[in-house]
Amino acid sequence: DRVGKGIRSSPRDVLLASAVPASESGRAFGFHRAMDHAGAVVGPLVAAGLLASGLSVRSVFLCALVPGALSVVAVLALRERASPGGESAPQEGALPSETAAPSAPRLPTRLRVALGILGVFALGNSSDAFLLLRARELGVSLASLPLLWTALHVSKLASSALGGDLSDRVPRARLIVAGWLVYSVTYLGFGLATRPWHVWGLFVVYGTYYGLTEPAEKALVKDLAPVALRGRAYGLYHFLVGIAAVPAGVLTGALWQARGPLTALGAGAALAAVSAVAMMAWERGRPR
């Protein structure tokens, strides 16, 4: 399953990037993320309804094959466009020779630096399962955790649509910085929280971090990558985010066990703040 996710993610993002002009990239990626989060809300509710109706777990999994098969058929019906509107414009940070040469061996320097900053943030971006663990520690009942998880995805859904549209109107790097600052503050909040209601409010605010960053990050990769190297750029982006998940989880778990949740979540908040400062410096150095 995860191999399938790895294979499909980069080509999917290239398809999305190629389907819209640069002025609507954030909106397109925001819509995609919003629909993904909508599935995370509706899917479990449908599964719960099917289980409540008397179907077995095995039968529910078989039912899940239907939308999966329909998605494959829909993708096979797509027709790619080599040069959609807005694609002929040079990308930010790319030299004219890099934009024009289909066999350029290296990604633009500014793109590689931006991906490096994203990688630093990813090292502090541990699994959201730690936040559920924190919720349990603070007294949120086990039965309420699915509702808490649903509330998070509703927040992601709403903020992704708004954040994607906003990233086409303001500099994307600044929106990413805003999202990372939200992440930093909410992680500190989770560490300092003392009541169950604190967790509910923090989860709703935390969801906006996704809406501010996910569409803007993917649109920024499109802005910086020459068309001929876009697949490689998205592949490197997903590689960095994926490979950092292991050390991020190990670091958070080790600190949690040794020093407690405030230290563990505070470390994630600190890395997010450092990444935000680095991204602001990167934004100031962009070509005018």
Side-chain angles (χ1 to χ4, degrees):
D1 176 64
R2 295 299 90 183
V3 169
K5 177 180 174 64
I7 292 174
R8 76 174 187 259
S9 296
S10 299
R12 178 205 62 210
D13 287 345
V14 173
L15 277 173
L16 286 169
S18 301
V20 293
S23 61
E24 297 181 7
S25 298
R27 184 181 178 190
F29 283 114
F31 178 76
H32 167 256
R33 296 308 302 153
M35 292 301 96
D36 188 63
H37 296 312
V41 174
V42 175
L45 293 177
V46 172
L50 292 174
L51 289 170
S53 69
L55 287 182
S56 66
V57 174
R58 183 190 297 270
S59 298
V60 171
F61 272 102
L62 289 173
C63 289
L65 286 174
V66 176
L70 292 175
S71 299
V72 172
V73 173
V75 169
L76 292 176
L78 288 176
R79 292 293 178 267
E80 299 182 50
R81 291 186 296 171
S83 298
E87 293 299 275
S88 59
Q91 282 71 33
E92 179 193 337
L95 299 175
S97 60
E98 291 176 315
T99 304
S103 58
R106 291 171 61 86
L107 294 171
T109 300
R110 278 189 60 77
L111 172 58
R112 286 185 276 121
V113 173
L115 289 174
I117 297 172
L118 291 171
V120 172
F121 171 79
L123 287 174
N125 185 14
S126 57
S127 170
D128 289 342
F130 285 107
L131 303 184
L132 294 177
L133 175 62
R134 182 62 174 153
R136 287 290 292 132
E137 287 184 349
L138 292 172
V140 176
S141 67
L142 190 63
S144 297
L145 290 185
L147 295 177
L148 187 62
W149 196 247
T150 299
L152 172 62
H153 279 284
V154 170
S155 177
K156 289 181 181 181
L157 190 164
S159 61
S160 291
L162 295 174
D165 185 67
L166 187 60
S167 76
D168 290 328
R169 304 171 186 271
V170 301
R172 306 194 206 277
R174 296 180 189 178
L175 207 61
I176 293 170
V177 167
W180 287 350
L181 292 177
V182 169
Y183 178 97
S184 181
V185 170
T186 52
Y187 253 52
L188 276 179
F190 278 114
L192 295 169
T194 58
R195 297 286 187 274
W197 69 267
H198 295 167
V199 174
W200 286 91
L202 286 166
F203 259 92
V204 172
V205 176
Y206 178 63
T208 64
Y209 139 72
Y210 286 94
L212 291 171
T213 58
E214 287 182 332
E217 287 177 6
K218 294 185 178 184
L220 183 66
V221 172
K222 173 184 175 177
D223 293 341
L224 296 169
V227 176
L229 300 180
R230 194 170 283 164
R232 185 189 302 178
Y234 280 114
L236 182 57
Y237 167 79
H238 286 291
F239 171 80
L240 289 173
V241 172
I243 201 69
V246 176
V250 171
L251 173 64
T252 302
L255 289 174
W256 193 301
Q257 193 163 350
R259 304 297 297 273
L262 179 57
T263 299
L265 297 174
L271 279 171
V274 169
S275 301
V277 172
M279 183 60 76
M280 286 190 289
W282 178 91
E283 164 67 10
R284 287 191 174 188
R286 70 185 176 94
R288 303 297 177 184

